[in-house]
Amino acid sequence: MVQAAELHTRGTRGKPEQASQAMEYVNDAYKFGALLCGLHGAGRLAGLSDIAAHVVPQAVAFLILAVLGVDAWRSMYQSVGETPGVYAEAHANGIRCCILQIPFQLYELACAARVKRLRGKTYEMVVHHALALLLACLAVNKDIYYFYGTYFFGVSELSSLPLVFLDLFKMFPDVKKRYPMSNELIRPFFCVCFLVLRTFYWPYVSYHFWSASLTHYPSDKLEVMTFCTVNLLLSALQAFWTYLIIIGLYKLAIGDPGTHDVDKID
């Protein structure tokens, strides 16, 4: 009876050792959030606007999440083809990626509330941050999807890092004029990172994510349905952004100045 109860607990609530690890990283989440707010505050004290002060904290967040995610994924990526379950064990840094997304998305939402440009033309960035926050909270609350969260919350952020500099040049023309070569190089570099991580590899990981989710269903129905729905929406966005990137690369190849006005991609 004890063994049966333990197996049931592992199948519905996650692995006990993984749950304890998640609790250990709560302090890291507080420190991470404090770091982002501190960097933003320092920028404001230095006389920067909110949108300018947002650049460094965002870059630092993407860098930390990408480094943690890649470090974890190095020991996990070979297992993807085996379709790990929704409660599959993850590297410690993979679990950390899921938890750190909570303060990061709260910070992004706070900035979007203050700066209209950070909300997106149709508030798509607000929706993006809100959905990411929802998934991170569900994952940490139920100790679920840490394996796949390592990629979606960590590794994929590697393509967002060059985006920070792409946006920097777009939002501040004076910076673009001072560093014209960097401006020209960062755009194709971002495109390559995005195409590799989000256009080609994202669907592969998503396929196994869906296989694991459908096998687990109807257990944890709320979490599985929420994660699958959001993954479908975000995958559709990856496809749309891929279209924009391909158009942008074509314009870049023919020397069209309109490449400097490509819509914000995140």
Side-chain angles (χ1 to χ4, degrees):
M1 291 295 292
V2 174
Q3 290 180 337
E6 181 180 356
L7 289 173
H8 177 72
T9 300
R10 287 172 176 261
T12 58
R13 288 294 301 172
K15 297 181 180 297
E17 63 271 20
Q18 202 157 276
S20 63
Q21 280 186 311
M23 292 304 297
E24 290 178 7
Y25 301 142
V26 170
N27 286 335
D28 289 343
Y30 285 122
K31 293 176 183 177
F32 188 60
L35 172 64
L36 300 183
C37 293
L39 289 173
H40 190 104
R44 293 290 286 141
L45 289 175
L48 299 178
S49 64
D50 271 316
I51 193 168
H54 171 259
V55 173
V56 172
Q58 186 184 55
V60 169
F62 284 147
L63 178 62
I64 291 174
L65 290 168
V67 169
L68 292 175
V70 171
D71 178 63
W73 201 246
R74 287 187 307 162
S75 63
M76 297 166 58
Y77 75 95
Q78 292 181 326
S79 302
V80 179
E82 302 171 4
T83 312
V86 301
Y87 284 118
E89 292 185 6
H91 187 282
N93 282 338
I95 300 173
R96 187 179 276 111
C97 283
C98 298
I99 296 174
L100 295 188
Q101 279 286 346
I102 296 176
F104 178 43
Q105 297 305 330
L106 287 172
Y107 167 75
E108 289 288 357
L109 285 170
C111 290
R114 290 181 58 85
V115 183
K116 182 178 181 181
R117 187 163 186 171
L118 296 178
R119 302 169 198 165
K121 294 181 178 179
T122 56
Y123 285 81
E124 69 274 9
M125 297 310 301
V126 175
V127 174
H128 176 276
H129 297 315
L131 289 177
L133 176 62
L134 172 63
L135 294 186
C137 288
L138 287 175
V140 173
N141 179 64
K142 205 70 176 286
D143 302 302
I144 194 171
Y145 286 117
Y146 284 146
F147 184 94
Y148 297 99
T150 300
Y151 179 78
F152 294 124
F153 287 144
V155 179
S156 67
E157 297 291 23
L158 190 61
S159 67
S160 298
L161 191 56
L163 179 63
V164 174
F165 299 97
L166 184 69
D167 286 338
L168 177 65
F169 292 129
K170 286 165 57 180
M171 292 186 294
F172 302 99
D174 290 341
V175 177
K176 181 168 63 176
K177 291 178 181 178
R178 289 178 61 185
Y179 304 99
M181 183 58 69
S182 297
N183 175 56
E184 292 300 323
L185 293 175
I186 199 65
R187 287 180 291 147
F189 178 67
F190 161 69
C191 291
V192 170
C193 290
F194 188 98
L195 291 174
V196 171
L197 293 172
R198 295 183 181 250
T199 302
F200 298 114
Y201 198 49
W202 178 289
Y204 173 71
V205 178
S206 291
Y207 169 78
H208 292 286
F209 159 83
W210 272 84
S211 296
S213 298
L214 293 177
T215 299
H216 188 74
Y217 189 84
S219 297
D220 301 306
K221 185 179 295 186
L222 173 63
E223 288 76 16
V224 170
M225 291 183 65
T226 302
F227 269 84
C228 287
T229 299
V230 175
N231 177 263
L232 190 62
L233 293 173
L234 292 180
S235 296
L237 283 175
Q238 310 306 318
F240 175 66
W241 290 332
T242 297
Y243 164 76
L244 293 180
I245 285 177
I246 292 174
I247 296 299
L249 287 174
Y250 172 73
K251 290 182 177 181
L252 183 65
I254 64 175
D256 188 332
T259 53
H260 294 275
D261 301 317
V262 176
D263 290 338
K264 179 179 176 68
I265 300 174
D266 184 27

